[in-house]
Amino acid sequence: MTDDARTSHEAHDAEGRTPSDFTDGGHGTPESRRADSSGPESSRPEFLPAGEGPFPAEQPRDDGWSQLGAPPDRARWGRQDQPELLRHDDRYDDGDVPPGEGGRDPGFTGEHWGDPSGRPRHDTAVFASQAAPPPPPPPPAQAFGMGPGWAPPPGSLGAPGSFGGPPPAPVRRGPRTATLVILALMVALLASTLGSVGTYLLTKPAGSGRDPSFSLGGAPTGSNVRPPESVAGVASKVLPSVVSLAVEGGASSSTGSGFLIKGGYVVTNNHVVANAEPSGQIQIQFNNRKSTSAIVVGTDPESDLAVVKPAETFGAPEITLGNSDNVVVGDPVIAIGSPLGLTGTVTSGIVSSLNRPVQAGEENSSEATWLSAVQTDAAINPGNSGGPLVNVNGEVIGVNSAIATLGRSVGGQSGSIGLGFAIPVNHARRVAQELITTGKAKKSRIGVAIDPTYQGVGVRIATEPRQGTQPVEPNGPAAQAGLKPGDVILEVEGVVLQDGNELIAMIRNRAPGEKLSIKYQRGGQENIATVTVGAAPEQPSPKPS
């Protein structure tokens, strides 16, 4: 070894010598060493480490042979005259190196040179005997850096790994098992990916826009529970109480909606069930899609209300009635019914106006009437009639009855334009109760006739009798409050009147016995009168003669 910083003893041990072989530590001149050659050990040649000694540094060294001499060539193997000591370096012939130079002793005979101890060695392969030499060994298939086609036999001097030879070539280790497994997995993954891409490219239709592997994934999870005050929450509460009506009467038929109240009765519009009397049929379908027949309990054409009794309610809950006097403009409302026969339809909006005078029932009908209605922008269409208009608490605040349209087509009906009207529930409550208890509803009156020719502010009471009717009914509610013919009624309960229809609608929405504050004008002076609403006398029902 030439790059290890070792002591002389370690270096000698590495060459196979014991420390006693070098009493002088391997130092001194050649002359001193020749002077000590008389002893038994003095005849041993000196070995220098490879690449060290007195050789010129610029001379190239033969790999692995600098300690014992150059490798024998074929010419020297063939000589038979005498044993020949191999030279230390092929760079010098026998006469090229002067005595005492290059670490060689001219007096050295070469005898026993192969053993450092000087003892004879009969197995040294570097001497040729006097007999015929054996044939040289055949060159191996591969040389180990010692010339083309040649290498020393195993175990001989200079062979790789032997004494004085080059260090053995490093053993090449194969990859570890874990590395092989990882490589195998990577190859498998790459093959799978390439196979999938190839399959996709082969199966994808060219230019069609279709993708067999396309997917939008599953629907997100969620809940169908809604706050009770929301439209969905109110609808889920009210829908079970809303019904659909189909009426057959002779040559005509009609459809509409209704809602279930206490006692298993259903409230609806008069114009929905008018065709059922006296021999028509009514079929009611509940929200659970179960159907049953029904009979008419009572009708009030003037208020466009009716009550029917179904044969079975199938456990449907009754609806809650609210207070229409507490409704204000802007309140959110929900309309539920069967527009155009579409059962269970829900629309929402707000209260867009109050005390709107509208005509309920069929236009130009003898049973047409005027109502002071709740106006809403919740969509109402034919078939919604009789259904409930409810607030955010699910309480009924009106009965859907009419819609405003831009005109009617011949033989057909127009749809909603965002203006729907409902009978206030306080009026419907009173009428329904009277129809259930007596079969008839009282008609509210104050006992005055209106002058239709008046064009001024407010509503003027007629000054002359018309068709046998007095302008102010004698001893009627208005007469008792002090009103006279020709008085101009300006306000009712603080509401400024615009025309006579509005006054009629407001009076009919009041129950008999209610007191109204009326501001009127007489002779240029404004006065206040309190009028108690009365009931019109009952008309005898026609009987067959």
Side-chain angles (χ1 to χ4, degrees), residues 107-119:
F108 182 66
T109 62
E111 187 177 359
H112 310 307
W113 73 273
D115 191 345
S117 64
R119 292 184 296 272

Side-chain angles (χ1 to χ4, degrees), residues 239 242-244 256-258 335-339 341-347 383-388 400:
L239 274 170
V242 180
V243 300
S244 175
S257 305
I336 304 177
S338 303
L342 304 175
T343 61
T345 299
V346 178
T347 58
N384 273 115
S385 295
N400 299 322

Side-chain angles (χ1 to χ4, degrees), residues 381-538:
N381 286 283
N384 273 115
S385 295
L389 183 69
V390 301
N391 58 20
V392 294
N393 297 322
E395 300 170 339
V396 180
I397 55 102
V399 181
N400 299 322
S401 181
I403 58 175
T405 64
L406 296 178
R408 291 178 181 267
S409 60
V410 177
Q413 293 177 311
S414 299
S416 172
I417 60 173
L419 293 175
F421 306 95
I423 302 169
V425 70
N426 287 359
H427 180 59
R429 184 199 306 267
R430 176 182 67 84
V431 172
Q433 183 173 317
E434 290 176 353
L435 292 176
I436 293 172
T437 56
T438 66
K440 294 181 180 180
K442 297 177 180 179
K443 298 172 176 57
S444 300
R445 298 286 189 273
I446 62 173
V448 296
I450 298 174
D451 182 1
T453 62
Y454 177 71
Q455 300 296 324
V457 176
V459 178
R460 186 172 70 179
I461 300 175
T463 58
E464 299 291 336
R466 293 186 60 187
Q467 298 179 355
T469 302
Q470 297 294 325
V472 177
E473 181 182 343
N475 203 29
Q480 293 178 359
L483 293 177
K484 295 180 180 180
D487 290 344
V488 178
I489 302 176
L490 301 175
E491 298 179 7
V492 175
E493 290 294 313
V495 177
V496 179
L497 299 178
Q498 296 179 346
D499 55 35
N501 293 331
E502 188 172 19
L503 175 62
I504 295 172
M506 292 183 66
I507 297 300
R508 291 185 179 180
N509 272 1
R510 300 292 178 170
E514 288 190 40
K515 297 183 181 299
L516 300 176
S517 176
I518 295 178
K519 179 187 287 190
Y520 65 96
Q521 186 181 50
R522 180 186 300 165
Q525 299 293 323
E526 293 184 357
N527 300 284
I528 300 294
T530 300
V531 180
T532 301
V533 178
E538 294 184 7

Side-chain angles (χ1 to χ4, degrees), residues 80 94 163 226 287 323 334 496-497 512 531:
Q80 302 180 10
D94 292 342
F163 176 74
R226 299 292 183 269
N287 187 61
N323 185 353
I334 301 168
V496 179
L497 299 178
V531 180

